[in-house]
Amino acid sequence: MHEPELPHIHEPRELRRLSYAALNRLAVEIRETIVATVSKNGGHLASNLGVVELTIALHRVFDSPQDKIVWDVGHQCYTHKLLTGRYDVFPTLRQSGGLAGFPKYAESPHDAFDTGHASTSISAALGLLAGERIKGGTGRVVVVIGDGALTGGLAYEALSHAGQLGLPLIVILNDNKMSISPNVGGLSKYLSRLSMKARYQSFRRKFDAMAQRLPFIGDVFFDLVVRLKRAVKAVFYTDNFFVDLGFEYVGPIEGHQIQGLERVLQDVRKLDRPVVVHVITRKGKGYCFAEQDPGTYHGVSSFSVSTGLGGATPQGNTSFTEVFSKALLDAGSRDERVTAITAAMEKGTGLSPFKAAFPQRFFDVGIAEEHAVTFAAGLAAQGLRPVVAIYSTFIQRAVDQIIHDTALQHLPVIFALDRAGFVSDDGETHQGLFDICLFRPIPNLTILAPASAGELALMLDWSLAGPAGRVSGGAIIIRYPKAPCPLELPACSAPLEQGRGVFVRQQDTSCCLAFTGSLYPQVLDAAERLAAQGIDADLYNLRFLKPLDEDYLGAIMNRYKMMIFIEEGSRAGGIGEYAAELALRRHCTAQVLILGVPDAFVSQGKREELLHLNGLDGEGIAAGVLGFRCS
Ligand SMILES: Cc1ncc(C[n+]2csc(CCOP(=O)(O)OP(=O)(O)O)c2C)c(N)n1
């Protein structure tokens, strides 16, 4: 029985004192620690299990933090965190105030660059390396990028630039054939062809050995052998894309053998040119359930280690995503023009049922949000009804494609923005708090925010019905949170009227709470708390965050003494600011209070915690109203 190694590794250099046998035991310990922690806290499981040996080898060969390792997406950084002095705090992973699930420079100098969104690593690393050389330093910079993240366009812009600069950037391509779902696109096929090179080399070794065993090889036979080898080689090899861009290419190499990995890394460390090291790993390695189904175990909530099963979802807690998924499926059956597009998030956005029913009208474009939007615009220009299902945080990538390729041309693309608002556990990079302020100023765009299941389905149908009878056509954003979806809200089943909301409670009081749909349960709670304090409030579900029927809203703001605008998004540039400006412009009588997210990035926590911290739960809203009333 051996003493555990992991608790004694405080700095990566301590790995160098371990034998390969001890390192292999360490890899087992690391996997056990990751599985145990993620089973409690949730997190990215399969991706982390796949890079344990690679991370150990990297930290033995390179001197972090003088040498810098940049993790693409950063969701696979758990081993790196465990080996860089964060073992003791690892149980706090993804908890409020705890260790982040992604690299954070503020957390450790070993986290060379913050990530969370895909495909940024090569650009960032090239900048770090160019900066290091300008300062006269000799530190190395290494990128670890997955084959999924390599489907993002930014990665190619960076590869092209890196080839041009010729600096000794080391790009480790972690190829496990998976994005979250199986990887898609021409590049993934291309990488598979490169992987066949390994099989070709094994074929060649066997072939040479066999030929040598044959006695008296004559010239004719030798020529035949050479020609046969060339023909086989032509099947396996084509020109190497990375080499054409100016990189050295090494690989593909087995990604679970520390010694072999180390040997290659020692070699490429000495190169004075950019190099791609193509490493083959198994996503989910070492935990049977994750190996068998790496897609499901890519990102998980808490689960039982022995059965691999998560806790049952409480009955009746249908999510907004599930409601959207069903509504889109229904729409797809009614209308053959309906098409669905995802950027590598098929399951997360609820598109799997649509894909199964209408495979010809479903497109997974890879981690390529900009392309997803412009591609959808092309479909719309052909008279189809594309629905791009995408997380609020990832649409940030495609602001220009929404302006230039969609809104400007009045094209009827629908954006189903999931995870709009606070997002549990993933931290700053994954909050969906900027979509309202990013897209509100853009002409020809409609932004809708449903409060209930019926209303989400209604909004999708209204959006798909096309611009007939509407003031503006063009693109439509429907934003909804990662949260349970209230099912019965009679007021919200009233037909949509452009620019207008609906009252879900109206008693002609002097105070009105106007809210974005996702906050309906919190607003209801606030109203009850206020009633207990003797303040009755009417509740106005805004429905439209753009365009607003200014006459209609202006009239409402003349009816009340207090109008409180409550939004699950950035206050700056949000709906409240717009309403306040409208109230000023129209000399409305109501005093306006805005409750939204202050001008700061929001760090990790559960959605409920984050609502509380930002004064947007029932308690916070009620306190805001009371404070405003007394001021
Ligand atoms: C811009 C952006 N879009 C989508 C995602 C969601 N996402 C996180 S990891 C991932 C798959 C990454 O695949 P790969 O790079 O191959 O890494 P693996 O998990 O397979 O190790 C996706 C789509 C993201 N983080 N950033």
Side-chain angles (χ1 to χ4, degrees):
M1 192 64 191
H2 294 274
E3 266 280 293
E5 299 287 356
L6 189 53
H8 306 296
I9 306 285
H10 303 292
E11 278 294 328
R13 82 174 78 92
E14 287 160 5
L15 289 168
R16 297 197 188 133
R17 65 176 164 75
L18 300 184
S19 66
Y20 287 112
L23 289 172
N24 288 331
R25 287 197 301 277
L26 178 70
V28 173
E29 279 176 51
I30 290 173
R31 287 202 167 86
E32 284 168 0
T33 308
I34 290 174
V35 171
T37 308
V38 175
S39 73
K40 292 197 191 90
N41 301 5
H44 287 97
L45 185 64
S47 317
N48 279 291
L49 296 176
V51 296
V52 174
E53 289 82 7
L54 176 62
T55 312
I56 293 174
L58 279 168
H59 276 300
R60 271 169 61 89
V61 173
F62 294 93
D63 294 313
S64 175
Q66 291 73 32
D67 293 335
K68 300 188 188 323
I69 305 172
V70 182
W71 302 93
D72 203 287
V73 183
H75 63 314
Q76 74 294 56
C77 69
Y78 297 177
T79 303
H80 163 80
K81 293 206 174 195
L82 285 167
L83 297 178
T84 50
R86 285 169 274 183
Y87 169 77
D88 289 342
V89 285
F90 200 66
T92 68
L93 183 73
R94 290 161 47 92
Q95 307 292 292
S96 190
L99 205 62
F102 295 91
K104 291 266 176 287
Y105 184 72
E107 196 176 281
S108 163
H110 291 284
D111 294 3
F113 201 85
D114 291 11
T115 45
H117 288 197
S119 319
T120 62
S121 61
I122 306 176
S123 301
L126 190 60
L128 288 167
L129 185 57
E132 173 81 359
R133 292 299 180 265
I134 288 169
K135 292 194 305 184
T138 55
R140 300 281 167 179
V141 182
V142 184
V143 168
V144 180
I145 182 166
D147 54 311
L150 202 62
T151 57
L154 183 59
Y156 297 91
E157 298 172 25
L159 282 172
S160 166
H161 188 203
Q164 176 207 330
L165 287 187
L167 293 170
L169 182 71
I170 299 166
V171 177
I172 312 282
L173 169 54
N174 172 30
D175 182 2
N176 56 22
K177 313 275 174 279
M178 295 288 293
S179 191
I180 292 180
S181 304
N183 204 7
V184 294
L187 182 89
S188 92
K189 288 193 192 123
Y190 178 74
L191 292 179
S192 301
R193 278 220 310 279
L194 284 183
S195 306
M196 288 173 81
K197 185 179 154 192
R199 268 181 264 160
Y200 162 72
Q201 279 165 348
S202 127
F203 158 83
R204 201 190 59 188
R205 273 194 300 276
K206 285 184 193 141
F207 194 91
D208 287 349
M210 187 189 76
Q212 271 161 22
R213 280 202 298 275
L214 292 173
F216 317 117
I217 296 183
D219 278 358
V220 175
F221 187 66
F222 182 76
D223 189 46
L224 196 71
V225 168
V226 169
R227 270 199 279 155
L228 185 58
K229 266 168 63 171
R230 217 178 281 148
V232 173
K233 186 172 175 181
V235 173
F236 284 100
Y237 272 117
T238 54
D239 283 344
N240 186 311
F241 168 74
F242 302 107
V243 173
D244 290 348
L245 281 178
F247 280 75
E248 291 290 322
Y249 169 84
V250 179
I253 58 172
E254 151 65 41
H256 297 294
Q257 278 184 0
I258 297 171
Q259 200 169 1
L261 281 166
E262 222 178 287
R263 218 176 289 132
V264 172
L265 293 176
Q266 291 289 7
D267 285 347
V268 299
R269 191 177 198 282
K270 295 178 207 131
L271 284 175
D272 61 357
R273 297 180 294 288
V275 58
V276 167
V277 183
H278 186 176
V279 177
I280 307 293
T281 60
R282 176 144 194 186
K283 193 160 176 169
K285 171 92 176 160
Y287 180 59
C288 61
F289 302 113
E291 274 193 30
Q292 282 154 18
D293 187 0
T296 301
Y297 288 84
H298 172 90
V300 289
S301 312
S302 57
F303 63 94
S304 147
V305 176
S306 57
T307 63
L309 298 175
T313 318
Q315 287 266 311
N317 267 359
T318 310
S319 67
F320 276 91
T321 310
E322 286 164 326
V323 173
F324 163 72
S325 177
K326 173 152 189 336
L328 187 69
L329 187 65
D330 293 348
S333 333
R334 287 195 308 267
D335 184 345
E336 289 195 342
R337 296 172 307 159
V338 175
T339 48
I341 296 110
T342 176
M345 305 298 291
E346 175 203 317
K347 285 188 185 162
T349 53
L351 290 189
S352 300
F354 188 96
K355 176 188 174 185
F358 313 111
Q360 306 295 330
R361 291 191 265 143
F362 166 83
F363 301 92
D364 179 352
V365 300
I367 308 179
E369 287 79 7
E370 297 99 312
H371 166 65
V373 174
T374 305
F375 171 69
L379 291 174
Q382 282 287 15
L384 295 175
R385 308 314 311 259
V387 179
V388 182
I390 200 161
Y391 291 3
S392 167
T393 188
F394 300 140
I395 199 71
Q396 290 167 196
R397 281 280 163 99
V399 174
D400 186 50
Q401 284 72 15
I402 290 191
I403 297 174
H404 178 272
D405 302 324
T406 315
L408 202 56
Q409 306 183 52
H410 259 271
L411 289 169
V413 180
I414 295 164
F415 297 97
L417 284 203
D418 203 322
R419 273 73 163 164
F422 295 107
V423 173
S424 292
D425 308 323
D426 284 333
E428 294 85 338
T429 52
H430 284 61
Q431 307 294 356
L433 300 171
F434 299 121
D435 55 274
I436 303 176
C437 62
L438 283 173
F439 297 117
R440 247 203 40 78
I442 298 170
N444 300 343
L445 205 66
T446 297
I447 307 178
L448 299 167
S452 72
E455 194 166 50
L456 172 50
L458 191 72
M459 286 176 174
L460 183 65
D461 291 348
W462 182 84
S463 305
L464 285 165
R470 281 193 217 145
V471 179
S472 81
I476 298 176
I477 290 174
I478 308 175
R479 76 179 309 261
Y480 44 89
K482 186 180 187 196
C485 184
L487 293 175
E488 294 295 328
L489 265 188
C492 298
S493 54
L496 288 191
E497 286 181 79
Q498 170 125 330
R500 299 182 178 186
V502 282
F503 279 93
V504 290
R505 180 185 295 176
Q506 194 172 18
Q507 302 155 323
D508 289 324
T509 61
S510 60
C511 170
C512 177
L513 309 184
F515 61 91
T516 60
S518 64
L519 290 177
Y520 173 65
Q522 289 71 21
V523 166
L524 206 58
D525 179 20
E528 277 163 27
R529 288 167 187 268
L530 288 169
Q533 303 276 331
I535 302 172
D536 289 324
D538 286 354
L539 308 183
Y540 181 65
N541 169 18
L542 285 157
R543 289 184 148 185
F544 282 81
L545 309 186
K546 181 192 177 76
L548 291 187
D549 181 333
E550 292 196 347
D551 291 340
Y552 189 78
L553 185 61
I556 292 176
M557 288 199 286
N558 273 326
R559 220 184 300 149
Y560 291 94
K561 280 199 188 128
M562 277 196 292
M563 278 298 294
I564 296 96
F565 287 86
I566 309 155
E567 58 197 301
E568 193 174 356
S570 161
R571 253 183 77 119
I575 185 76
E577 281 195 359
Y578 173 37
E581 185 271 334
L582 176 68
L584 271 178
R585 187 161 27 100
R586 297 250 173 149
H587 307 292
C588 296
T589 51
Q591 301 271 344
V592 174
L593 171 69
I594 302 170
L595 299 178
V597 182
D599 189 10
F601 289 109
V602 174
S603 52
Q604 72 199 24
K606 296 280 171 219
R607 178 166 180 263
E608 297 69 33
E609 282 175 299
L610 300 176
L611 284 166
H612 180 70
L613 285 170
N614 287 277
L616 290 170
D617 61 350
E619 189 187 331
I621 295 168
V625 176
L626 285 169
F628 185 56
R629 193 162 170 264
C630 300
S631 63

